[in-house]
Amino acid sequence: MFVLDDDISIRDKLKTLLRSVGLNVEFFNSPFDFLLGTRPDAPSCLVLDVRLPGKSGLDLQHELAEKNIPIPMIFLTAHGDIPMTVRAMKAGAVEFLTKPFRDQDLLDAIQLALERDSARRQHEASIAAVRERLESLTPRERSVLPLVVSGLLNKQIAAKIGTTEATIKVHRSQLMKKMGADSLPELVRMAEKLGIP
């Protein structure tokens, strides 16, 4: 996980707190330093101050979203207001805590952020695996897939694409096998993950 705060006393307090609960933390004192840093391919989150040198925490949140860097964020501030809180939360912040904050409130927010990031990563890995299976289909199997998941019978699919029912049975069997689907409902769920109508 990462902490971005230009106040050394806050960084020291957070270092003691987060390491006391076994969290591996990397500290930054500016958005520029954070953007230059590398992020491990593991669940993480960013605890940051709203007011930072050169770029506000809210501006950094917006920039990371534009760059498609989905890291859960927990904002800390000594000078927050309601519009600022609303803006951060609408943009996906996990929490917006006012300094001085209770240690347990921060630890709870971090736990939630790490759980969210882990779930997002699992979801993305699941979609990537299904997409890889989809790539193994022939063009004809790919054209049959939406018709199968829409619930059409083999003879209806055959009539729709101008082939025989026996051919559709072979395509259906092959695409079920290649997609790793044991049942039509399972194939439908895979198609939904991929956004196939």
Side-chain angles (χ1 to χ4, degrees):
M1 69 164 289
F2 309 98
V3 171
L4 174 51
D5 198 309
D6 62 331
D7 183 337
I8 194 158
S9 65
I10 293 289
R11 284 201 314 265
D12 287 344
K13 176 186 177 185
L14 292 176
K15 186 179 292 187
T16 303
L17 172 66
L18 300 175
R19 292 198 171 144
S20 76
V21 293
L23 289 169
N24 186 17
V25 190
E26 198 171 335
F27 293 86
F28 299 91
N29 61 8
S30 78
F32 181 74
D33 292 340
F34 176 75
L35 289 168
L36 284 179
T38 57
R39 284 164 287 288
D41 187 19
S44 60
C45 69
L46 173 60
V47 176
L48 73 162
D49 196 348
V50 171
R51 293 207 161 92
L52 295 164
K55 182 186 302 255
S56 79
L58 295 171
D59 291 339
L60 178 62
Q61 181 185 35
H62 180 74
E63 184 176 340
L64 291 172
E66 281 188 335
K67 291 180 176 180
N68 198 22
I69 300 173
I71 184 167
M73 295 185 192
I74 299 160
F75 284 94
L76 305 176
T77 185
H79 314 286
D81 56 28
I82 291 172
M84 193 182 287
T85 305
V86 169
R87 180 177 163 198
M89 298 304 280
K90 276 188 172 179
V94 173
E95 186 62 88
F96 198 99
L97 299 172
T98 305
K99 295 175 185 175
F101 50 85
R102 284 183 51 238
D103 290 352
Q104 193 57 52
D105 290 341
L106 178 60
L107 293 174
D108 290 346
I110 289 169
Q111 182 64 36
L112 177 61
L114 293 174
E115 287 170 4
R116 279 188 192 172
D117 200 38
S118 180
R120 176 193 61 80
R121 288 168 176 280
Q122 288 173 356
H123 179 71
E124 286 177 359
S126 165
I127 289 174
V130 173
R131 190 167 283 128
E132 193 175 306
R133 292 181 206 155
L134 179 68
E135 293 300 316
S136 73
L137 300 181
T138 65
R140 178 58 99 177
E141 290 163 352
R142 261 190 234 146
S143 68
V144 169
L145 177 60
L147 302 172
V148 170
V149 297
S150 71
L152 294 178
L153 301 172
N154 289 343
K155 66 180 176 183
Q156 293 170 312
I157 297 170
K160 202 166 190 94
I161 63 174
T163 190
T164 67
E165 190 176 344
T167 301
I168 295 303
K169 280 183 183 175
V170 170
H171 289 320
R172 182 188 286 253
S173 170
Q174 284 298 99
L175 75 86
M176 293 287 284
K177 183 177 172 186
K178 289 180 182 178
M179 292 298 290
D182 294 327
S183 65
L184 182 58
E186 189 178 355
L187 187 67
V188 169
R189 284 191 294 277
M190 290 178 185
E192 285 173 351
K193 277 185 182 179
L194 297 171
I196 295 171

